[in-house]
Amino acid sequence: MNRLIDRARLGALTLLLGAGVLPTCAAAQELGSMWGTESREREAYRLVKLPVPEGLVLEAGAFVTLPDGRIAVGTRRGDVYLSSGVDDEKPEPTFTLFATGLDEIFGLAERDGALYVTQSCEVTRVTDSDADGRADRFETISDAWGYANYHEYAFGSKFDAEGNLYVALGLSQSYYSQELFRGWALKVTPDGRTVPIASGLRSPAGIGPNEHGALFVIESQGPWNSSCSLKAIVPGGFMGHPASFNWYPYAPELGAAPASPRSGSSVLAERELIPELVPYAVIFPYIRMGRSITGFTVDTTEGRFGPFAGQMFLGDFSLSLLMRATTEQIDGVWQGACYPFREGLSTGILNVHFTPEGRLLAGGTNRGWPVRGTAPFALERLEWTGVTPFEILRIGITPNGFEVTFTKPLDPTLGRDPASYSIQTFTHEYHAGYGGPEIDQTTPSVESVTLSEDGKRATLKLSEVKVGHVHAFDLAALRSRDAETLVHRHAYYTVNRVPHPQPVEPSPRWLTFTGGAGPGAGKHIVLIAAEQEYRSEQSLPMLARLLAARHGFDTTVLFALNEDGLVDPTLKTRPEDPTVLHDIPGLEALESADLLVLFSRFMSLPPDQLRHFYTYLDSGKPLIGLRTANHGFIEFDYSKDGERVRFGEDVLGGAFRGHHGRWHQDSTRGILVDSERDHPILHGVEDIWGPSDVYRTFAVGGQLPEGCTALVLGQPLVGRSHGDAIESTLEPLPVAWTKTWTGNEGKAARVFQCTMGSARDFESAGLRRLVVNAAYWCLGLDELISTSSSVEIVGEYAPLASGFDYEALGVVPRAPAYYGGGAER
Amino acid sequence: MSIFLLVVTGLALPGFQQNPPVVPWLHQEHGLTEAQVGSLLVRELRCAACHTDLDVSRRPPLPGPDLNGVGARIAPNFLERYIADPAGTQPGTRMPALLDDLTPADRAEAARALTEYLISASRSTFDVDPPERVERAEQEQPESGARLYHSVGCVACHGPRDMTGAEPFVDSAPNDWIALDHVPHKYSPSSLAEFLFQPLHVRPAGRMPDMLLSRSEAHAISDYLLGPAQVEAAHWAARPELVARGRELFGALRCNACHALEGAPALDASPPLDASSQGRALDRTRGCLASEVSGAPRYGLASDQRAALRAALGGASDSPTEPDRDGGAAAVDEVAETLTAFNCIACHARGPNGGVAAAVDAYFQTTQPELGDEARIPPTLSLAGAKLQGDWVRKVLFDAARVRPYMLTRMPQFGETNLAHLPAALLVADADGLAPYPMVIPEEPAARTARVAGRELLGLTGLGCVSCHDFNGTPTPGFRGIDLITTPERLQPRWFVAFMIAPTRFRPGIVMPESWPGGVAVHQRLLDGDTDAQLRAIWYFLSQGRSAEDPAGIRPEPSQLHVEGSARVYRGRSAVAGFRGVAVGFPEGVHYAFDAGCGSLTAIWRGDFVSVRWDGQGAGDFRPLAKVIELPRDVAFARLDAASTPWPRRPVLEGTNPVNPDPRYPRQHGYTFRGYQLDAASIPTLLYACGATEIEDRTEVAERSGRQVLRRVLRLTSVAEDGPLYMRLLTGDFEARADRQFVTSELLVSLPPEGKVVNRPAMGEGPPELLLELALSPGTTTLVFDYEPLD
């Protein structure tokens, strides 16, 4: 919350809104509303007031859903009510007083039947020890901060996955830090320790995870903050307001206080001098996007609340409205965009929360500061009507512009017209004064627009992306295919970093995916899908999206194309047609590749294309071979020490000798090799199963060549279901192993071969994790392999079955772009 | 199969009772032409369900009652009778009779089949008498349903009824109340209550609106309307062949043209009555419009209804006439027709039309009769489109927003899809009703002058508006008129200004005084008596919303926390207990405060408990409601090196930016607060520690020698020898009264027998102090202190 409110400014604002619109009656209705969009918003999002019993004052400041589905509401008056029935179609919720007499509740979490209440003075564990429905035990969990001014509010988070809870502490009188850790974020650990983690807060109004699980805080406009913003809390970070530096001696683990910022500079310039300074991730332009933004939550309703699943929602206290925000991490720095969402709430919004049925609760009060909504307090529920509003869904940054996605397809003519996209930028001074104007405006031109096939994604190339500026989008000129205008024409993206350019130029002949946040940032993986049987044209783009979006790698997928430039698994091979010559465009990408993932079969390539492979094999760079890669080439003419090298046997450690189990009838269960369970590639790998059969790669009675370390054995099953019985007459054979390869220049490369890998095999999360881990391992990133990293598929993945009966299987030549779709970030 | 194939062999049976459909607005002062009435009737009677060439596309669809679950909602016997003879079973219904032309036996069979089909299509069955009804009827005030029925607005369409709910007051009834006599035969108590709770569920067209009843209110009205009679409860077993026959009939009779029902046959795509497609003109004297209907659905139309329909259907055209008018005039018509169709005019006047009928006027009530009819009669809709902000109209219509808490009649909700067109139409229809009034933005310093003047004008030293209007959520001591702060949110400036200058022009008989009669300000002192300047100042002042400073005459009451029955704990800042204060109140009227920051009992007082302010940014601090006896606020326990070591004093903060020089005090003296536990009487045991000594600190009200004392029991548990622990009890002026009793001018403290009393004189800058030196061995020591306030 902003403490300092200039009444004159509010008055001027109100009249300003009124002034231009009074002469006509149609426009007059805009008076009193912020964006003038309420009548459109309500078509998609209905606002339902939750009646509060007569006499009950419910100044909600925090919410949490209990395991039994009731919602606990913590209030500014220090009460906790347990509410049932907030999701009823015509709600008449009950409110049972659970605890009372606490001091300004701005945080509620639940664990093991106890409520954890963050109140101004402390974090308190509140329990009902005699089970009479009323709390009777109040245990102080943390009071490791000073508290000597009423404006020293404390905001508490929910628990994170490790059981930590976070507290954000406002400054004294919102200007000073007179008491211990005012202006700091603290971590309260499960064993009861309180650990200071970051300084530099001013007047926070909410703390919790962003949509990617990173810890974020709401900051209010004021000194050193020209607008409100969402900020990432980085351990050891400095969040921008230097008043709280005096407590570093009390946080010895964080070392000395950072250097003091120079007033009148910019955040990014100061960051060059003060490495602890964390750039503000999402700036909410003052007035246009709220005056004092408050508690936020993430839409985890998986679509029940409409098209914005996975995004952040937050309220504004002064203007009684709700907004959305999305974030992304570029080179380790968070940034993102905010979007108008819904106005016309009844009171000042202090916090928001999703109900079990996927509606958004919003509550608050309007005392103390100017507030547009006139109700002294209110609890309201926003619910999706099922109507999809035409909105900007999300803005993401690209190396030379932005990718803007929409909830509905754009009118193609307007959508492809750069003139439909108006972008202006501005920045703020970073200074000690209160608030600050928008300065250094620029108007970059939109040089080109590429509209996706589904019409929902526009990729904009700008004349310049201004680092350190907020990019204000005005897309009023766009129309949906149904000729609708956007419900909200504006959105605001804060640029702290511009992503590095993709190592390979985008082309219609291949696919490129830019790495998002993740340990793979800066590494380039080239994946080659060039076979006829196992639908690698589906599985490798899927892996490429996953490695980019979830792990940060830049990825490029190359394909075998036919004469029409289409990905063509139906192309003949030399055994069938001795005249055939294959074509994999883009192999130059191997020069910048840090890792090659190869899934080829019987490729006959021209010498100038093969040369790229030969060079790669000499480079010492690592290699992953999947399934048919061990018979991936036919005219492979690479020699070492004067001897021709067999690609499958010599490079990958074994080539296809036969189907161990019935081809296209039996399936494979992966068994982790016991002695290798601690191998980094096997971290977190469980339950590998795929409907393809086991490859035999060495003679019956033989074994893996020397230097190969088997990690996974494939046990044939009778039939092609996950639970089918073991084919007991067939022993398990290695299906995944590691080895090293040394080429002509004497450089050793890490090699991983997996002989599973049909597109349907990759529906197994275990197999995906195995290959993802192998990519880390191949690149020497063993230490960064995490059992909790995501191997969730990004976008749609509906793999076709393996085989050669292309017509029956629905396999037809398609443009590479066909396989790139569905990418989210 | 078409309806004709079904009925062509049947005989038209004369002698059915003519019960024309009741359209409740038909005899109101609606101001519509006969053709407009007919056009509305075409919609209300859903003619286009069969006459698909009638163009009713301009309006939202008008679905009939949703039949999903009808078998659980409506008594089966009633359903069967109703299908056979709708108007004879439920007089006034808009559903036409469709089986007239069958023989009585065939008709009975068809009705039976349809009923069995509807029952079989319902997931649950009709339950006559849920046992909780009896219990509920005993608990509720028997007349509460009657009171609700006659106050929330039911009477506007259904007319008043007697106290049993059974009979309408005949003498008050024009013949177009929507009858309810059939209701006891139709519903069970719970099914009627469920319908009343969310009527739009079953009847999405919104003609029976949602009256914003709570569930318990819906039950009360249900009990009232059903009376003691119990609905017939025949158990019906569905016979598959009849169910199949019923389903077939359902499709053949085109029931699905009006009614939704899952699993029903698809609607016949080529209905028989599209005259244009058959190359012939509609005959307006036959079919449904014949005076003696046969071979067609029978609505039992009254002659005036037939005449209106004929007028609407016109002579030459096959479509209802749509006058070709410009946007403004079309909007005027659209508003008039909408307000009529939804019977808004039963409560609201608009121009010469509509308004509360004399027969029900007495049932429009208020809790603020002093405010006159304004407080009980729903506001006129004349110029509503020039009066209200569009978003506010939507909030009223769709979000149940209301600003007249004193008005007992409720503004119902008709469903957003049904009235989505109305807000815009209202604004257009009334666009020219008042001249625009631009509000000029004052700039500083004029803005400040305007704010000050606006505040004073509203206050008691100005025009005294706040003596009759709530302000900013704060009730006035007298009348409770509309909260002034809602003005800019609701009103358009032009209406505000015109209304303020001449309230009676808009509301004849309003009790509001004229403060600018003829445009001349009564109050000449402020803003030089400039009317425009004054009105703009008031508007501007109110535009500040909740931050607007209270005008003179508005005084928020501080909240007093009462202690009733059991003890009460309140945490908050206080001058007597610091920022981590804990106030503990006892019903016996003696209370104490504890500083959880330092672990000391800091204040004791007798009388009322505390007051708490709730009106500012940092509200919530408590103030004892009596003079307190203050005790020292430093840490109460410490391990001193020697009995002569100065007591560790809390840091004192001074100056404009007083940074705490000793932020670890009292932690560095071993103090940790652990919380508190409430017992069955809600008396807290405070839990804290001093070094290795855990302390449980419980205080209750007790008697000592016939006098009321606070008895404080401390249980100290040590795990190890840790040197003597000192407890500081009193500082300043005190003296020994008796053995281990000390007294100040306000308080008598009795010490426990344990421990060594250290009565030490002032040391350096410190005051004289009374300490208790405790040598604690491992284990628990219990100490009992009595604190007796001296009056």
Side-chain angles (χ1 to χ4, degrees), chain A residues 79-165:
Chain A
D79 300 319
V80 179
Y81 290 92
L82 304 185
S83 183
S84 299
V86 298
D87 269 322
D88 289 354
E89 186 188 347
K90 179 174 172 181
E92 290 188 335
T94 57
F95 295 92
T96 308
L97 185 64
F98 178 67
T100 186
L102 305 172
D103 184 11
E104 298 264 18
I105 299 174
F106 283 125
L108 274 185
E110 190 275 344
R111 188 169 67 196
D112 299 336
L115 277 180
Y116 287 73
V117 180
T118 303
Q119 46 175 333
S120 283
C121 51
E122 62 182 50
V123 178
T124 313
R125 182 177 188 269
V126 177
T127 45
D128 171 16
S129 63
D130 62 2
D132 67 349
R134 192 73 184 259
D136 51 31
R137 191 162 179 86
F138 299 78
E139 295 163 85
T140 304
I141 299 301
S142 175
D143 59 358
W145 63 82
Y147 174 36
N149 168 261
Y150 80 82
H151 206 289
E152 293 173 346
Y153 300 103
F155 293 83
S157 74
K158 309 273 186 278
F159 291 105
D160 69 9
E162 280 78 46
N164 300 303
L165 189 145

Side-chain angles (χ1 to χ4, degrees), chain B residues 374-543:
Chain B
E374 295 303 317
R376 66 179 195 93
I377 302 294
T380 172
L381 298 181
S382 301
L383 287 180
K387 171 188 175 187
L388 299 172
Q389 303 277 358
D391 279 339
W392 180 254
V393 174
R394 288 185 192 90
K395 281 186 197 290
V396 170
L397 288 176
F398 310 137
D399 301 344
R402 56 195 304 227
V403 288
R404 297 179 175 86
Y406 42 78
M407 189 174 286
L408 295 184
T409 306
R410 297 178 188 177
M411 170 66 193
Q413 300 287 293
F414 296 87
E416 186 157 354
T417 52
N418 299 316
L419 289 182
H421 61 285
L422 184 57
L426 258 181
L427 293 203
V428 176
D430 294 344
D432 301 328
L434 284 174
Y437 189 92
M439 281 288 174
V440 179
I441 314 169
E443 297 204 357
E444 300 294 356
R448 185 171 188 284
T449 311
R451 287 194 302 276
V452 170
R455 174 171 175 268
E456 185 164 355
L457 281 165
L458 296 182
L460 289 184
T461 56
L463 300 170
C465 309
V466 296
S467 48
C468 294
H469 285 280
D470 284 5
F471 182 84
N472 231 342
T474 306
T476 54
F479 302 161
R480 303 281 316 275
I482 294 182
D483 192 327
L484 294 171
I485 210 75
T486 65
T487 302
E489 185 186 9
R490 294 187 297 119
L491 300 181
Q492 297 183 29
R494 52 181 173 166
W495 193 91
F496 166 75
V497 168
F499 176 77
M500 295 293 266
I501 288 175
T504 50
R505 173 186 160 198
F506 299 89
R507 298 294 181 82
I510 193 170
V511 296
M512 177 148 148
E514 293 191 5
S515 298
W516 296 271
V520 179
V522 167
H523 201 94
Q524 282 292 320
R525 181 170 57 83
L526 289 165
L527 299 174
D528 302 326
D530 179 327
T531 298
D532 278 340
Q534 289 185 352
L535 289 169
R536 284 175 178 148
I538 289 175
W539 181 272
Y540 173 40
F541 175 74
L542 293 173
S543 298

Side-chain angles (χ1 to χ4, degrees), chain B residues 31 43 60 127-128 184 240-241 346 391 468 517 520 571 576 747:
Chain B
R43 263 188 73 63
D127 187 1
V128 170
E241 68 283 4
D391 279 339
C468 294
V520 179
R571 293 207 73 172
V576 301
L747 185 69

Side-chain angles (χ1 to χ4, degrees), chain A residues 2-5 7-12 14-16 18-19 22-26 28-33 36 38-39 42-43 46-47 49 59 76-78 88-92 100-104 119-122 124 129-130 135-140 143-153 173 176-181 246-247 250 342-345 366-376, chain B residues 196-199 201 210-216 385 388-391 394-395 398-399 401 416 427-428 430-431 436-442 444 447 451 472-473 483 485-486 488-489 491-494 539-540 543-549 559 568-573 579-580 596 613-620 653 656-664 667 671-680 687:
Chain A
N2 281 313
R3 173 176 173 273
L4 259 205
I5 294 300
R7 287 225 172 110
R9 220 182 297 166
L10 177 76
T14 317
L15 286 189
L16 188 71
L22 285 179
T24 68
C25 106
Q29 61 185 287
E30 289 181 14
L31 180 66
S33 57
E38 190 185 342
S39 60
R42 63 186 308 139
E43 292 168 13
R46 186 186 302 126
L47 195 59
K49 196 168 269 189
E59 299 182 319
R76 286 199 69 192
R77 295 204 177 188
D88 289 354
E89 186 188 347
K90 179 174 172 181
E92 290 188 335
T100 186
L102 305 172
D103 184 11
E104 298 264 18
Q119 46 175 333
S120 283
C121 51
E122 62 182 50
T124 313
S129 63
D130 62 2
D136 51 31
R137 191 162 179 86
F138 299 78
E139 295 163 85
T140 304
D143 59 358
W145 63 82
Y147 174 36
N149 168 261
Y150 80 82
H151 206 289
E152 293 173 346
Y153 300 103
Q173 300 167 40
Y176 316 110
S177 188
Q178 297 161 345
E179 290 287 335
L180 186 61
F181 293 136
N246 47 342
W247 308 117
Y250 295 86
R342 184 66 159 91
E343 62 186 7
L345 280 82
N366 67 2
R367 70 172 147 96
W369 294 267
V371 166
R372 189 178 298 274
T374 54
Chain B
L196 293 172
F197 181 58
Q198 298 186 90
H201 256 193
D210 186 329
M211 298 302 295
L212 308 178
L213 300 176
S214 69
R215 213 176 265 284
S216 68
L388 299 172
Q389 303 277 358
D391 279 339
R394 288 185 192 90
K395 281 186 197 290
F398 310 137
D399 301 344
E416 186 157 354
L427 293 203
V428 176
D430 294 344
Y437 189 92
M439 281 288 174
V440 179
I441 314 169
E444 300 294 356
R451 287 194 302 276
N472 231 342
D483 192 327
I485 210 75
T486 65
E489 185 186 9
L491 300 181
Q492 297 183 29
R494 52 181 173 166
W539 181 272
Y540 173 40
S543 298
Q544 296 175 102
R546 302 306 293 195
S547 65
E549 201 180 335
S559 301
R568 177 164 193 168
V569 177
Y570 180 82
R571 293 207 73 172
R573 310 177 300 281
F579 272 67
R580 291 189 163 104
R613 257 183 343 103
W614 294 119
D615 57 349
Q617 300 181 350
L653 309 184
T656 50
N657 179 14
V659 177
N660 190 334
D662 187 8
R664 287 265 159 89
R667 210 167 294 267
Y671 173 75
T672 308
F673 184 58
R674 302 216 188 280
Y676 50 95
Q677 165 90 46
L678 307 182
D679 67 12
L687 309 168

